[in-house]
Amino acid sequence: QVQLVESGGRLVQAGGSLRLSCAASGRTFSTYTMGWFRQAPGKEREFVATIRSSDSTFYADSVKGRFTISRDNAKNTVYLQMNSLKPDDTAAYYCAASRSGTGLNKASYNYWGQGTQVTVSS
C-alpha cells in the first residue's frame, strides 16, 4: 500500500509560480511511475505530467514548457514546478503512483492522493 500526500497549493496571481510536492510512503517509491493530474469543477480529471522510474518525463501539451515534474527518491517525493501560471490552470491537483505502464493512462494508476487546490487569479 502506498499513501500519497500533496501539498503546496494556494491562491496565486496569473504569471506566478508554485511548486507542488507529493510525499509517498513505502520502500519501493523509486520503482513507481509517478504522475500529476488535475480536475477543475465540472470537468474530467486530466493528465498533467508523468515521471517514470528511469526519470523520463512526459507532459500534456497545455503545460509543456511551463511545468516541470521531478522526483527525489531519497525523500520519497515527487514535485511539480509550475511557472507562468494561467487562470485555466485553476484546479485540484492530484498525485498518483503506478506500478507499471507508461504513466499516460489515468486507469493505470494504482494509488491517488487527496489533492491540493491551486487557484490562479487574473
Side-chain angles (χ1 to χ4, degrees):
Q1 186 77 6
V2 174
Q3 293 184 324
L4 304 172
V5 180
E6 302 97 333
S7 62
R10 62 175 176 86
L11 173 65
V12 64
Q13 287 191 328
S17 297
L18 277 179
R19 188 176 81 156
L20 305 183
S21 299
C22 172
S25 66
R27 293 175 289 179
T28 58
F29 173 79
S30 64
T31 68
Y32 281 81
T33 291
M34 301 299 297
W36 285 97
F37 290 76
R38 66 186 182 186
Q39 187 168 19
K43 294 189 177 181
E44 297 269 332
R45 189 171 298 189
E46 65 175 8
F47 169 79
V48 174
T50 187
I51 184 166
R52 300 169 188 164
S53 59
S54 62
D55 282 345
S56 62
T57 59
F58 190 83
Y59 299 90
D61 287 343
S62 58
V63 306
K64 201 173 295 182
R66 298 188 299 124
F67 291 10
T68 302
I69 189 171
S70 62
R71 65 192 301 162
D72 185 337
N73 291 333
K75 295 182 178 179
N76 277 19
T77 301
V78 62
Y79 303 98
L80 186 68
Q81 177 67 43
M82 304 187 295
N83 299 328
S84 303
L85 283 161
K86 306 174 181 179
D88 283 350
D89 295 319
T90 295
Y93 282 71
Y94 297 88
C95 171
S98 172
R99 286 192 292 263
S100 61
T102 63
L104 304 180
N105 183 355
K106 183 170 57 178
S108 71
Y109 284 85
N110 307 100
Y111 305 101
W112 292 84
Q114 293 299 307
T116 185
Q117 179 67 36
V118 172
T119 303
V120 184
S121 64
S122 56

